[in-house]
Amino acid sequence: MDKTVNIIRYVAIGSGYLIALFFFLPLYADADQAFVGVQIILGFGVANFDIFSFLTFLLPAIGSTLLLLKLKYSESIATLLFLLAGFALIMLPDFAGFVNGDLALSLIKTSHVASIMFSFMAALLALILANAKHAFTTYQIVEMAMLVSLAVVFDLPGLKIRIGAAGGSIGLTMVPLLILALRQGPIKGFIGCGIVYGFATCVLDGWGLVYYPFDYLLGYGSLALLGIFSPLIFNPNITKFNVKGMLFLILGIFISIVGRLLAATLSGIIYYQYTFWASLLYNISYILPSAGIVLVVLVALYDPLIRADRLLNQRLES
């Protein structure tokens, strides 16, 4: 079994570094010649520096390095990095057009498709490694399904207030997602909030998958940051409401909301070509009121959540 796990690990590591290698291989072409990825992405010659494409090829290299180091959460983090790289590679033609559209470049199909294939293959292999190390229990899968479904319901028309023509709404959607992050921690919380819920609501909203990486995957995935504070909020020694735990809850919610705000702001800059301040103010207009509602609800639910967590843990251990 250990030998099989090691083989899977090394194949995942190799796949991640192969993706990064495409950065140094022919990736773009125009009517006359092919260009090495690094020429265009780093802005050599007449090209402009493309930070999005640069990060796209950097993420899998970081993921492979983490797998090589075998740190505590290496497998889970590598899975997320490979997935992010895969989705970013899919969107690469759209993003490249924003930065270097005037060069009339096109992606070389074989290089582009191969890098996407290796990215998702590496993500699958890393997920297998993560599952072997930190497997989902049946209870966690059911709990995630229930909370994600509740978030989808809260996002239905009539249960939220739409703001602006460019998207955004005020509602309770973030409440079950933040509870999911609290209950299952940052890694599994990201899978539930960013990957599962993010993809589902992106499809239901109908804006198109090109918006998935920032508004949905990173936007809702950032709510999983609250899970980092879970041991301080759901301390085994805490049996009821306490000020210290509530302060960590408020801090965690604040950091998570800021993460979502930054992702949405970046989306506005890239897709709608707003200035930083215009995009920030637009997204504040709906995220801040939602954050206020969510904060009040979760602070009110803090004591019941502590008691429920304690009761569930006792039943699962018995």
Side-chain angles (χ1 to χ4, degrees):
M1 181 64 179
D2 290 340
K3 185 177 180 180
T4 302
V5 170
N6 284 332
I7 291 172
I8 293 173
R9 180 181 298 276
Y10 291 129
V11 173
I13 290 170
S15 299
Y17 285 132
L18 274 174
I19 301 162
L21 181 63
F22 280 99
F23 183 71
F24 302 98
L25 296 176
L27 186 65
Y28 291 94
D30 62 11
D32 301 316
Q33 59 182 323
F35 295 92
V36 174
V38 68
Q39 291 179 267
I40 302 299
I41 293 168
L42 294 185
F44 295 159
V46 295
N48 299 313
F49 175 62
D50 183 353
I51 183 64
F52 177 84
S53 299
F54 177 70
L55 290 175
T56 297
F57 289 95
L58 184 64
L59 290 176
I62 296 173
S64 290
T65 303
L66 287 173
L67 290 178
L68 200 59
L69 294 174
K70 297 183 180 181
L71 302 176
K72 185 177 181 181
Y73 293 109
S74 290
E75 297 82 3
S76 299
I77 297 173
T79 302
L80 300 180
L81 293 177
F82 290 140
L83 281 173
L84 281 172
F87 285 115
L89 284 164
I90 291 172
M91 309 305 169
L92 197 59
D94 299 284
F95 286 102
F98 284 112
V99 181
N100 286 301
D102 57 320
L103 298 180
L105 296 170
S106 61
L107 281 161
I108 296 174
K109 189 173 182 180
T110 51
S111 302
H112 188 214
V113 172
S115 58
I116 294 171
M117 179 189 71
F118 281 121
S119 184
F120 285 112
M121 184 176 75
L124 177 61
L125 294 174
L127 183 61
I128 293 170
L129 294 171
N131 190 58
K133 194 172 179 181
H134 304 285
F136 276 100
T137 65
T138 303
Y139 176 81
Q140 287 176 326
I141 294 172
V142 172
E143 181 182 61
M144 181 181 291
M146 291 174 61
L147 290 170
V148 168
S149 298
L150 186 59
V152 171
V153 170
F154 283 150
D155 196 48
L156 292 175
L159 295 177
K160 62 180 180 181
I161 303 172
R162 285 196 171 275
I163 301 293
S169 60
I170 300 172
L172 293 168
T173 301
M174 291 189 289
V175 171
L177 298 178
L178 288 168
I179 292 174
L180 172 60
L182 270 177
R183 291 281 305 142
Q184 300 196 14
I187 302 300
K188 293 176 181 177
F190 185 88
I191 292 172
C193 298
I195 297 176
V196 179
Y197 175 77
F199 183 77
T201 195
C202 178
V203 172
L204 291 172
D205 283 348
W207 291 97
L209 290 177
V210 69
Y211 295 94
Y212 177 68
F214 293 102
D215 282 315
Y216 296 93
L217 181 65
L218 293 181
Y220 288 107
S222 65
L223 301 181
L225 292 171
L226 180 59
I228 297 171
F229 298 88
S230 184
L232 301 169
I233 298 168
F234 288 156
N235 191 298
N237 298 322
I238 296 174
T239 58
K240 58 183 179 180
F241 179 91
N242 71 97
V243 175
K244 184 179 179 181
M246 185 184 71
L247 291 176
F248 278 117
L249 175 64
I250 294 171
L251 176 63
I253 292 172
F254 174 77
I255 292 174
S256 301
I257 298 298
V258 169
R260 185 185 173 194
L261 179 61
L262 290 175
T265 299
L266 186 57
S267 176
I269 294 170
I270 293 172
Y271 294 112
Y272 297 99
Q273 299 186 11
Y274 291 160
T275 65
F276 171 78
W277 292 110
S279 182
L280 180 65
L281 290 174
Y282 177 85
N283 288 290
I284 282 177
S285 69
Y286 67 91
I287 290 179
L288 188 60
S290 293
I293 296 170
V294 167
L295 184 62
V296 170
V297 172
L298 286 179
V299 167
L301 290 175
Y302 177 50
D303 187 59
L305 285 172
I306 291 175
R307 297 177 186 276
D309 181 74
R310 187 177 179 85
L311 179 63
L312 288 169
N313 288 337
Q314 288 176 347
R315 290 190 175 183
L316 290 172
E317 290 172 1
S318 62

